[in-house]
Amino acid sequence: MLVNGDTAPAKGAIKDTTTQGFRQDVIAESMNQPVLVDFWAPWCGPCKQLTPVIEKVVNEAGGKVKLVKMNIDEHPAIPGQLGIQSIPAVIAFQRGQPVDGFMGAQPESQVKAFIERLVGPMGPGPVEEVLAAAAQALEAGDAAGASELYAEVLAAEPENITAIAGMARLHLDAGDIEGAKGFLAMVPEAKAQDPAVAAVRAAVELAEQAASLGDTAELEAKVAANPRDHQARFDLALALNARDKREEAVDHLIAIIKADRTWNDDGARKQLLQFFEAWGPMDEHSVAGRRKLSGLLFS
């Protein structure tokens, strides 16, 4: 399965227009299918970011929608009449009337969602199909296959967050913390808080913490000798998590919260929340752990 960064254009799906051509290219054409008008200018940085994204999604729509681009420097009359004050601005026309729109550069997922509001579900694009195949490879335990597929996506879309996070997670699972951090460094600042990225970042931080703790036997002995040694219990929870003993790790942190909620500035609860972030919200241990935590806090 190959990903081509330049989606084959649908015939006649994208064109430039002028003030004179607007009525035919947009008003008349929108009687047949939705027409998106992209108001842009050569000096506009966000316009340059949006152009390849919106063209890609329009091409993937397979003729269900058309894109008409208008340079507002050369043709200011139409955007002036429509009250366009900031660019990039995209206005959707249907049946001769403006019906929806957005301003500013948007990620591909948002542009696709915008178009789907007009034309209905588009189905997965080529990149989404490869990402789905990578997820299936991971589920089957084929880390090498997943890595090849993520690399294929990144060759086409170097800032694809799902692929970056996937590669980082693969390196982390293989014990290569520095490799995982290297992929996380590729994340654009604007997408730094993406849930998939945040989860891997939290997992990397946990792995780094656990690396300095050594074997669990000594920590378990300390906790057995003094159940109120909260630091030893806290470190044991980190070490157990690193060994994928998630339920035991949760129980030790819950024990600290139950004994002394204020210990280490509420550190046990904060650590538990970091576990949940690293594991993902739908992980069975996240769900069970949140249930235990809420039962303790709100009982």
Side-chain angles (χ1 to χ4, degrees), residues 155-197:
E157 296 184 3
E159 295 187 354
N160 186 288
I161 291 300
T162 302
I164 292 174
M167 288 293 274
R169 179 71 72 172
L170 285 170
H171 279 266
L172 181 61
D173 290 346
D176 181 9
I177 294 177
E178 291 305 313
K181 291 167 72 174
F183 276 99
L184 289 177
M186 295 168 54
V187 176
E189 186 175 349
K191 299 180 181 178
Q193 300 308 312
D194 183 276
V197 172

Side-chain angles (χ1 to χ4, degrees), residues 29-283:
E29 195 60 40
S30 71
M31 298 297 180
N32 303 317
Q33 74 278 297
V35 177
L36 309 184
V37 184
D38 177 14
F39 296 100
W40 69 283
W43 46 264
C44 170
C47 297
K48 296 175 183 177
Q49 296 174 28
L50 177 64
T51 294
V53 173
I54 195 169
E55 289 185 354
K56 177 175 181 290
V57 179
V58 166
N59 281 326
E60 289 176 354
K64 293 181 180 179
V65 63
K66 291 192 174 182
L67 174 65
V68 172
K69 298 187 288 185
M70 175 170 275
N71 182 335
I72 68 168
D73 284 353
E74 295 179 354
H75 306 285
I78 298 295
Q81 292 169 13
L82 292 172
I84 303 298
Q85 297 180 337
S86 177
I87 56 172
V90 176
I91 306 296
F93 282 76
Q94 277 186 309
R95 294 175 293 279
Q97 298 293 325
V99 295
D100 203 351
F102 66 83
M103 290 187 298
Q106 302 289 326
E108 181 178 338
S109 60
Q110 294 298 316
V111 174
K112 182 175 180 180
F114 174 79
I115 292 177
E116 286 184 331
R117 290 204 301 270
L118 300 168
V119 302
M122 290 168 48
V127 168
E128 291 166 315
E129 289 178 349
V130 177
L131 289 174
Q136 290 174 353
L138 278 178
E139 192 172 340
D142 182 8
S147 178
E148 289 181 7
L149 291 166
Y150 285 136
E152 193 174 332
V153 171
L154 291 174
E157 296 184 3
E159 295 187 354
N160 186 288
I161 291 300
T162 302
I164 292 174
M167 288 293 274
R169 179 71 72 172
L170 285 170
H171 279 266
L172 181 61
D173 290 346
D176 181 9
I177 294 177
E178 291 305 313
K181 291 167 72 174
F183 276 99
L184 289 177
M186 295 168 54
V187 176
E189 186 175 349
K191 299 180 181 178
Q193 300 308 312
D194 183 276
V197 172
V200 180
R201 188 184 301 112
V204 167
E205 292 172 0
L206 290 173
E208 288 184 314
Q209 288 174 318
S212 63
L213 296 174
D215 189 66
T216 60
E218 183 179 347
L219 294 169
E220 289 171 342
K222 285 184 177 181
V223 172
N226 179 12
R228 295 192 63 82
D229 186 344
H230 298 326
Q231 186 61 58
R233 191 181 292 277
F234 182 88
D235 291 345
L236 178 57
L238 292 175
L240 288 168
N241 174 64
R243 289 157 177 77
D244 207 29
K245 297 182 178 180
R246 297 181 178 183
E247 184 176 359
E248 294 176 47
V250 167
D251 288 343
H252 280 292
L253 291 177
I254 289 290
I256 296 173
I257 298 168
K258 189 173 183 179
D260 184 0
R261 169 73 185 273
T262 63
W263 178 78
N264 196 24
D265 192 25
D266 200 17
R269 185 186 65 84
K270 293 175 181 175
Q271 185 60 68
L272 197 53
L273 296 181
Q274 188 180 31
F275 280 170
F276 299 157
E277 183 177 38
W279 299 341
M282 300 312 295
D283 178 86

